Each structure stands twice: as C-alpha cells, then as structure tokens.
Amino acid sequence: MTASDQLTLPQLEGSAERGGSLASFIWFRTGGPAEWLVRPKDEADLARFLAELPNEVPVTPIGVGSNLIVRDGGVDGVVVRLPKSFADVTIEPGNKVRAGGAAMGITVASAARDAGVAGLEFLRGIPGTVGGAVRMNAGAYGREVKDVLVEARVVLRDGSAETWPLDKLGYTYRHSDVPEGAVVVEALFKGTPGDSATIGAEMDRIAAEREASQPLRSRTGGSTFKNPPGHKAWALIDSAGCRGLRVGDAQVSEKHCNFLLNLGNATSAEIEDLGEEVRRRVMDKTNILLEWEIQRIGSYD
C-alpha cells in the first residue's frame, strides 16, 4: 500500500486517470500502469495541481517513453504526461526556437529548418520530447542539448514555476540538475543563420543514418547504456559476445548492440534482466562497468 492509495487528487482542468496505462505508449510496450496518469491543461493547471498535491505523493514526468523501462509493478503516485497543448513550436528573433515540453525533437528541428535556423539538426535524431531531452541532456551526432539551450521553463514539485538559464541546469553527460518531481514545460533553443536546403539535407542524412544503423521499427528503448570515456558501448557489448543475446522475449539487437528489443511478449523484468546480464558480461570481459542510460522507474511485479 502506498501513501497515495486513498488519495483524493486536487482539482484539475485536464484529465486524471487512475490505473492509466503506460505500456500503451512506452516504446517497449511493457510495464505496469500508473497509479494516477495526469494530463494537465496548461502550465497554470499543472502548477496549481502540484502545489495542492500532498508532498509525500511522488511525481514522475514521462514524455513518449522512448528511453524508459517501466517496471511490471507500475509506478506509484502521479505520472504527469504533457498533452498536445504543450507541443507548440515558435520561431523568435535572433535564430531562437521556443518549444513546449511535449514537442518532439523532429518537430523542433523541422521548424528551425523552415526558418533557416541551423545547429538544431541533431534534434532530428532524438526520438523523444523536448522535456525529456532537456532533463537528460540528450544528444546525437556530436551535439547535446547543452550546446543549443538558452533556458528552460520548469514547474517544480511544490508548484512553483521558474525559468532556468543554461548554467543552472548543471549539465554533464546525459544528466541535469532538474530535481525529482519537476516537469520541464518549455525550452528556448538558439541556433545560427543557415540555408534551409542545407539544413534539410543534414536532417535527411541523420534520418538515413539512423534507419541504416538502428532498429527503429522495433519495440525498443533507444540507447541502453552510456558510452564510457574513450569507448563505444555497442562495441564493448559486441566484444563480450552479447549480440543477439536473449532473456525470454527480450533480445540484444543484432543490428545495433546498444539497443534492447521486445520481440513481442517480453516483460519489463526480462528486458532489465537482459541489460544486467550484458553489464555483467562486459565487466567480465573488459573490466568496464556500463552505466544505464535508459531510465528505469516503478516497482517490480
């Protein structure tokens, strides 16, 4: 029993669903439900809701779940998923792009392309939302969010809303100082003047490279492990003989070893167990302990 079993939620203009399915949209298509799945109407609605929500109730923001394992027991407390009202993307003077936390990376990159703003092309290769990308300093093709972010709008667990400049986010590799329970609702990016055709060609190159090298049409969770300093995680995994390794219906991708797959009926436990077995084999072979890049949340069944 959790602290929120008998919880009556604060008033919300958006929607709140008890036992809301997460497996219906998480990329792996596995895992248990949210105790409460909340979709606020707008920033004011979210801020008011969090301010009135008892402090002991955990809050977990989720975007599209493209880099996430939701464990089979589900997620206690409140899961916040921003709806399409948080997905607007607008161009501002000075080669800046303002994007809502629910906007997809490809949408931001495309808007920048159409406006002749260069430097955001790599967001085409990040299959998650702006909120998730800001929180984890997502990166691809030699660039990271920290390279293009000006500021981020954050609604904290206590319901206060703040605009954080880049230096307050404390970025390191795939990490930020955005606190637990806080929700990134907006970000402002800055690029440089560019030619739309050239920008589009670079985005097309990124898309083609991803298609050729990653299992994009599978039930997956993106890059599983962080690249250790001086190494590529996929190469370490391959050298440890893990290509194609299976636990139940979970498999290490044969196309890209740093991707785990749900072949159809895997449980989250099988996917996580497979990841831990990969870590063990890589450690035995190379004396390097891989760090999870995929976020793992919730309770075991």
Side-chain angles (χ1 to χ4, degrees):
M1 176 164 298
T2 69
S4 47
D5 276 336
Q6 306 304 320
L7 175 67
T8 299
L9 291 185
Q11 186 175 358
L12 188 74
E13 293 183 47
S15 65
E17 179 184 2
R18 188 174 184 96
S21 171
L22 302 178
S24 63
F25 65 89
I26 295 298
W27 273 34
F28 275 122
R29 294 296 191 268
T30 64
E35 189 171 354
W36 285 99
L37 180 57
V38 167
R39 297 177 175 88
K41 178 184 177 183
D42 51 28
E43 181 186 307
D45 192 31
L46 173 62
R48 188 170 50 248
F49 174 83
L50 292 181
E52 297 175 5
L53 187 69
N55 290 334
E56 66 271 16
V57 179
V59 173
T60 306
I62 294 181
V64 293
S66 58
N67 200 231
L68 188 67
I69 293 173
V70 175
R71 292 179 174 129
D72 298 306
V75 181
D76 289 343
V78 168
V79 170
V80 174
R81 189 177 191 211
L82 300 180
K84 289 183 178 180
S85 58
F86 287 84
D88 289 346
V89 178
T90 56
I91 305 299
E92 298 189 358
N95 300 296
K96 294 177 182 177
V97 182
R98 188 174 298 276
M104 297 295 292
I106 186 175
T107 306
V108 178
S110 298
R113 175 201 62 206
D114 295 346
V117 177
L120 306 186
E121 296 91 339
F122 77 99
L123 294 174
R124 170 65 178 85
I126 295 175
T129 61
V130 164
V134 168
R135 173 178 287 273
M136 71 172 293
N137 188 25
Y141 302 95
R143 306 208 80 191
E144 298 175 305
V145 165
K146 71 177 180 62
D147 298 325
V148 295
L149 186 73
V150 176
E151 62 188 26
R153 182 79 171 163
V154 181
V155 178
L156 301 173
R157 175 61 184 84
D158 65 3
S160 59
E162 299 179 357
T163 298
W164 285 20
L166 173 63
D167 57 4
K168 187 171 181 177
L169 285 153
Y171 277 139
T172 56
Y173 177 57
R174 302 297 177 266
H175 169 80
S176 77
D177 288 342
V178 175
E180 187 174 347
V183 184
V184 178
V185 295
E186 188 180 78
L188 181 64
F189 302 102
K190 181 175 174 61
T192 57
D195 173 71
S196 292
T198 303
I199 295 167
E202 174 62 8
M203 288 174 58
D204 290 345
R205 183 194 69 80
I206 288 172
E209 188 171 321
R210 288 186 71 232
E211 181 71 36
S213 64
Q214 299 176 11
L216 301 181
R217 304 184 188 283
S218 304
R219 295 181 179 184
T220 184
S223 295
T224 306
F225 301 107
K226 299 177 182 179
N227 289 323
H231 298 275
K232 293 292 188 182
W234 76 264
L236 296 172
I237 294 167
D238 202 16
S239 71
C242 296
R243 185 182 294 268
L245 182 67
R246 286 183 62 168
V247 172
D249 231 14
Q251 182 186 46
V252 176
S253 170
E254 296 184 358
K255 190 173 188 179
H256 191 308
C257 293
N258 200 24
F259 283 66
L260 303 183
L261 308 178
N262 172 9
L263 297 181
N265 295 298
T267 63
S268 292
E270 287 174 340
I271 295 168
E272 191 169 1
D273 287 350
L274 176 60
E276 290 296 343
E277 177 63 15
V278 167
R279 295 178 79 218
R280 185 189 69 77
R281 293 191 184 197
V282 170
M283 183 66 179
D284 288 348
K285 176 71 182 295
T286 67
N287 204 35
I288 295 173
L289 183 62
L290 293 175
E291 291 186 43
W292 284 91
E293 180 171 322
I294 285 181
Q295 302 297 301
R296 295 157 294 145
I297 63 171
S299 57
Y300 298 100
D301 192 11

